[in-house]
Amino acid sequence: KSESAQQCDVCTAYYLTAENLSAHRKLHLNAYRCTECGLVSCVKRVMSAHDCAKRAERYSCADCDLMFRVLPQNKNGTSKEPVTIPCKGCDKVFHSKKSYRAHVVIHDNQSYPCPTCGKLFQWKRNLARHARNHRERAAGTTHACHACGKTFASRDCYNNHMRLSKKHVHENSETSQEPRLGDAHEQVAGEELQVPFLPSGLQLAHVRVQASQADASQESQASTRGERQRTVPGANCHAIKYKTDNSVLLFHIYLQKLKLKRHNKVNQKYDTIVIGLGSAGATAASTLAKAGKRVLALEAQDRVGGRVHTVQFGDGVVELGAEWLHGTHPSIVYEDVQRNNISLVPQEFYLMTYKSDGTRGNDVLINELEGLCFDDTINLAGPNMPAGFNITQKIQAHIKENYPELENDREFMDEVMPFLNLVVNNHESSNDWNDVSSRSRYTELDGPQYLSWHKQGYHSFFDILLNKYNNGPGWPTLDVKLNTEVTLIKWPKDSTGDVEVKCVDGSEYKADNVIVTVSVGVLKDRKTLRFQPELPPEKIKAINVIPIGVMNKIILKFEKLDLPRGVFYGFLWKSEDRARVSVEDRWTTQIFGVSTPTGTSNTITLWTSGTIGLLVESMPSDVVMKKSMELIRKFMAKVADIPEPTGILMSKWFSNPFTRGSYSYDNTVVADYPDARATLEAPLRDSAGALKVLFAGEATHPIYFSTVHGASETGLKTAERLLSNITL
């Protein structure tokens, strides 16, 4: 590496090494020269915009003031005749048939509705593109950018992103981020520093010199040229000088990132690496750390909790994810609550129903029918059939026996049956109750099914697990790294040795074994998290078979709200009112109702599920807020005077690349594969039979799937398997 600065003899720019100077000079070899004035530039757009080019001959349009450098010609070389096509529906004039045909459809009053969400389109091609996005979101398809690693739920978003792909310069990617000037940069001995080239105008002209032997002549020469120089001293390194303040910041960022990359790439050995810090991951990591094992927990998000997300909102806390503890025995979550003297508030899922004309529904009857939806109806031992079919039969038989006057009341059935369908969907995170299997193995715990954490927040459970509750010190042998997305798990299949984990930030870690606790939705998206060697075919089959649904919340905040806490309000649509809802607002008819969280006194939660939940994720928050308030006031105007909201929170569990859904359920497909969850949970071993890659999470539990206590139990089981050295 040269000890002195290398200066370009064409543009007088300084470079650190001869190699960089040589690469720079190649730019001058491809320079453009103006034949009028002799101006030389490496950038073509500069040459085409300078004064000589502006004075070049131009051709004006006969009908307007536009100027052209080239006279428009036909294929035979003759000049084109100007074309003017007036629109018969308005006063616009077009100069091409293509633009006229694209415009004239506006006057046809013909539109094409989306069959999924009802959105209207004037052109079929736009509808086709929109429908493709629905299909890809429903299938969980993602499109990954190989340049920057970002993933997109729709092809349109991916294509829009790739139009900017020229900005994906890997060597310079650090320079586009916000500068961090807190630490000094450093030069690692024996390693050549490769400085990235920056755009013209911000290009570095730095000189690495001995701080004690600065060349005074170079400084005077720089001052003669009028350059402003700034020196950034580094720790145990030489001073570096730059032409502009922007260059200082950009080069300093590069050095900071280089230092971080070198630090992160150092291999570190642990007993176990836990990927994901949701309920399963936090339980597994804390259990192993409590036993003295050296554990590294890697979480891709900026928080602990996974699909449990407690947020400060309103005058308290709200839950964007899991909200209740479902049952008390046997539950390791409830045991931790008891040990730490945390009081939970039991809620009763009793629906106060309102019709779309503002009148009250028959609460007693509707709650009676709602109980039939979950009372030994889904967990049948008979043939595998849609749960909706069995529920409908049971409700009809119950009405015929106990309420014969309603048996032929079509209006009542049209109000109640769609509503109960939505209740089941929000319970199962499904799109329709006929997607759920009548042979689901889900089992409820004993005790109250809706225990609220109220002001404590569900995050208290994770503070308990990580030994941080009441200002606890944490676990000394547990390292937690947030914002660390794992991209590759390399495990020994036909050999023995450590498991290697590689992350997006370039860091690499080794361990005796790894516990994977990401959602089954993330496992389905195998572009995000890869295994080497690939997972066994039977495990891939299980991942594809087990469904993960979507259950989202819309939470509105008010200055003051006079509604009781912990109450559920159900919305019954009358047939004529439902028919009058516009196509673009039809998604509001798929919200079964609202509830009032116990953790605040001035918020309301609206519940969505299935494809409507996916649709709401993509909608602007101001539109969702406006339509949600119209819905609430339509049904509950006679209940209370509800003011305008002052804020909104929306969960987006499917759009989140680190969850890809809310929780799993048993659909009519998975019931035909009774061992799918056990297959997903089965660990991977090396050639000697040692445990290498283990799996935990709610989707791996055979009967408590979709719950926090089920996920936590799988994390505990996996950790105890490692501690007891079981080799089943």
Side-chain angles (χ1 to χ4, degrees):
K1 185 179 295 185
S2 174
E3 292 296 326
S4 61
Q6 304 288 328
Q7 186 177 18
C8 176
D9 52 359
V10 178
C11 63
T12 70
Y14 286 97
Y15 288 85
L16 183 64
T17 66
E19 289 81 7
N20 286 350
L21 176 61
S22 175
H24 166 75
R25 281 174 174 164
K26 291 180 181 179
L27 297 176
H28 293 298
L29 298 178
N30 298 323
Y32 299 92
R33 182 182 297 274
C34 177
T35 58
E36 297 287 335
C37 62
L39 177 68
V40 178
S41 176
C42 304
V43 184
K44 188 175 182 180
R45 65 176 179 273
V46 172
M47 297 301 302
S48 44
H50 87 290
D51 291 340
C52 293
K54 293 178 181 178
R55 293 195 299 268
E57 184 178 4
R58 301 295 180 94
Y59 301 93
S60 60
C61 174
D63 299 322
C64 64
D65 296 331
L66 289 178
M67 303 293 292
F68 301 91
R69 295 182 183 177
V70 180
L71 183 64
Q73 293 182 340
N74 292 314
K75 291 182 179 179
N76 58 9
T78 62
S79 299
K80 289 184 178 179
E81 294 293 334
V83 178
T84 56
I85 307 175
C87 176
K88 299 178 181 179
C90 62
D91 57 354
K92 288 188 177 182
V93 178
F94 300 89
H95 296 283
S96 70
K97 294 181 180 179
K98 182 178 180 180
S99 59
Y100 170 73
R101 287 195 298 267
H103 165 77
V104 75
V105 297
I106 298 176
H107 302 297
D108 294 341
N109 292 324
Q110 184 176 3
S111 58
Y112 303 95
C114 172
T116 304
C117 65
K119 187 176 180 180
L120 297 177
F121 296 87
Q122 290 180 334
W123 292 278
K124 285 185 178 180
R125 63 178 181 271
N126 291 344
L127 172 61
R129 183 164 55 245
H130 175 77
R132 181 187 65 199
N133 292 341
H134 276 307
R135 292 194 302 271
E136 291 179 348
R137 287 193 178 99
T141 305
T142 58
H143 305 275
C145 174
H146 299 292
C148 63
K150 289 184 178 181
T151 57
F152 301 89
S154 70
R155 194 180 306 175
D156 286 342
C157 295
Y158 169 77
N159 290 337
N160 291 336
H161 173 78
M162 291 307 295
R163 290 191 184 99
L164 304 177
S165 60
K166 291 184 179 179
K167 295 184 179 180
H168 292 158
V169 182
H170 300 291
E171 295 83 1
N172 299 343
S173 60
E174 295 86 359
T175 62
S176 63
Q177 301 181 18
E178 289 295 326
R180 294 179 57 188
L181 300 176
D183 302 326
H185 60 272
E186 69 177 9
Q187 175 72 36
V188 177
E191 182 174 345
E192 183 175 355
L193 183 62
Q194 297 296 329
V195 181
F197 289 101
L198 298 175
S200 177
L202 293 179
Q203 191 175 48
L204 293 178
H206 57 273
V207 184
R208 182 179 181 272
V209 294
Q210 297 287 349
S212 60
Q213 301 175 356
D215 192 340
S217 62
Q218 288 185 0
E219 292 186 4
S220 61
Q221 181 183 0
S223 62
T224 302
R225 292 196 302 267
E227 297 173 355
R228 292 189 306 161
Q229 293 196 349
R230 179 177 171 187
T231 301
V232 177
N236 302 320
C237 68
H238 303 297
I240 300 180
K241 298 180 180 180
Y242 309 89
K243 276 189 178 181
T244 67
D245 290 343
N246 285 336
S247 297
V248 175
L249 298 182
L250 292 172
F251 189 62
H252 188 82
I253 295 166
Y254 169 74
L255 292 171
Q256 292 291 337
K257 293 292 184 180
L258 186 64
K259 176 182 176 182
L260 180 62
K261 202 168 193 179
R262 292 188 186 121
H263 173 73
N264 286 342
K265 204 155 185 180
V266 177
N267 290 330
Q268 301 183 44
K269 177 69 182 296
Y270 290 87
D271 293 323
T272 301
I273 296 175
V274 178
I275 301 175
L277 269 178
S279 180
T283 302
S286 62
T287 303
L288 292 171
K290 195 186 306 183
K293 298 294 182 180
R294 188 159 183 250
V295 183
L296 171 64
L298 301 176
E299 170 57 52
Q301 302 187 89
D302 59 357
R303 59 178 180 82
V304 174
R307 284 165 280 174
V308 175
H309 192 187
T310 305
V311 179
Q312 292 283 342
F313 196 58
D315 58 1
V317 296
V318 295
E319 305 291 347
L320 283 175
E323 187 161 343
W324 298 283
L325 181 60
H326 300 290
T328 58
H329 181 75
S331 170
I332 61 176
V333 179
Y334 187 71
E335 291 172 2
D336 282 339
V337 169
Q338 293 292 92
R339 277 195 295 267
N340 289 272
N341 297 319
I342 297 177
S343 60
L344 303 183
V345 177
Q347 288 182 243
E348 183 181 2
F349 191 79
Y350 187 85
L351 291 161
M352 298 177 64
T353 56
Y354 293 85
K355 297 184 179 182
S356 52
D357 58 2
T359 60
R360 288 295 305 271
N362 189 339
D363 294 348
V364 175
L365 175 58
I366 291 173
N367 281 277
E368 186 177 326
L369 298 179
E370 184 271 335
L372 296 176
C373 295
F374 307 103
D375 182 18
D376 297 328
T377 302
I378 296 180
N379 198 17
L380 294 176
N384 181 22
M385 299 182 66
F389 177 79
N390 287 329
I391 294 172
T392 301
Q393 284 189 328
K394 192 166 188 177
I395 288 176
Q396 290 175 342
H398 183 81
I399 290 177
K400 183 177 181 179
E401 180 179 353
N402 299 282
Y403 304 94
E405 68 279 6
L406 297 177
E407 183 179 4
N408 297 318
D409 190 339
R410 194 65 198 170
E411 181 180 357
F412 173 79
M413 298 299 290
D414 288 344
E415 292 174 0
V416 172
M417 298 306 285
F419 170 74
L420 295 178
N421 189 353
L422 293 176
V423 172
V424 172
N425 293 333
N426 277 267
H427 184 272
E428 299 286 339
S429 79
S430 56
N431 188 53
D432 186 88
W433 59 6
N434 285 321
D435 295 338
V436 184
S437 172
S438 60
R439 292 171 55 186
S440 172
R441 296 189 176 189
Y442 177 77
T443 305
E444 291 184 352
L445 298 178
D446 296 334
Q449 294 301 303
Y450 294 91
L451 288 170
S452 171
W453 292 79
H454 56 100
K455 296 285 186 179
Q456 294 274 359
Y458 221 136
H459 66 85
S460 301
F461 172 58
F462 293 88
D463 291 340
I464 293 172
L465 289 176
L466 300 178
N467 199 27
K468 293 185 177 181
Y469 186 68
N470 286 336
N471 298 316
W475 300 111
T477 60
L478 173 61
D479 294 339
V480 175
K481 294 184 181 294
L482 303 179
N483 297 305
T484 306
E485 179 185 356
V486 175
T487 58
L488 178 65
I489 299 174
K490 190 174 180 180
W491 60 285
K493 179 180 180 182
D494 299 322
S495 60
T496 59
D498 296 329
V499 181
E500 298 180 13
V501 173
K502 296 185 178 181
C503 306
V504 169
D505 62 5
S507 57
E508 300 176 4
Y509 305 96
K510 290 184 178 181
D512 293 334
N513 39 63
V514 169
I515 301 177
V516 180
T517 69
V518 300
S519 74
V520 70
V522 174
L523 293 176
K524 289 175 183 288
D525 183 14
R526 287 190 290 276
K527 298 176 185 176
T528 304
L529 176 60
R530 297 182 296 112
F531 293 83
Q532 184 182 349
E534 184 60 89
L535 296 175
E538 62 273 14
K539 191 174 289 288
I540 295 177
K541 179 68 175 179
I543 292 171
N544 293 333
V545 164
I546 298 173
I548 183 167
V550 176
M551 198 288 298
N552 277 323
K553 299 179 183 179
I554 304 167
I555 306 178
L556 303 179
K557 177 180 68 173
F558 305 85
E559 286 293 339
K560 185 179 180 181
L561 190 63
D562 295 326
L563 286 176
R565 298 289 93 190
V567 178
F568 296 86
Y569 300 90
F571 296 161
L572 301 173
W573 281 92
K574 299 177 74 68
S575 300
E576 57 272 20
D577 291 333
R578 186 192 299 270
R580 282 194 290 266
V581 177
S582 62
V583 176
E584 59 268 21
D585 294 342
R586 200 158 293 168
W587 62 272
T588 60
T589 65
Q590 301 301 304
I591 295 177
F592 91 89
V594 302
S595 64
T596 52
T598 59
T600 66
S601 65
N602 59 344
T603 60
I604 279 182
T605 302
L606 295 89
W607 300 79
T608 67
S609 62
T611 55
I612 298 302
L614 295 179
L615 172 64
V616 173
E617 287 188 14
S618 63
M619 295 177 63
S621 58
D622 57 338
V623 174
V624 175
M625 181 188 295
K626 177 184 176 182
K627 297 301 179 181
S628 297
M629 285 306 302
E630 292 177 0
L631 177 70
I632 292 172
R633 286 172 176 151
K634 182 178 185 64
F635 284 85
M636 301 177 62
K638 299 178 182 179
V639 181
D641 184 17
I642 301 177
E644 283 297 318
T646 59
I648 183 173
L649 284 178
M650 297 166 55
S651 62
K652 298 183 178 182
W653 293 114
F654 181 79
S655 301
N656 187 336
F658 307 123
T659 56
R660 289 298 180 198
S662 300
Y663 45 82
S664 65
Y665 64 97
D666 274 355
N667 63 4
T668 54
V669 176
V670 74
D672 293 330
Y673 297 87
D675 299 327
R677 297 185 187 274
T679 303
L680 175 59
E681 185 265 349
L684 304 178
R685 303 173 184 271
D686 63 12
S687 59
L691 297 170
K692 289 300 171 183
V693 183
L694 300 91
F695 296 84
E698 56 87 12
T700 66
H701 203 291
I703 58 175
Y704 298 148
F705 52 87
S706 77
T707 64
V708 175
H709 63 265
S712 186
E713 188 172 303
T714 63
L716 177 63
K717 176 183 176 183
T718 303
E720 289 179 341
R721 171 180 282 177
L722 289 176
L723 292 175
S724 59
N725 248 347
I726 296 178
T727 56
L728 298 179

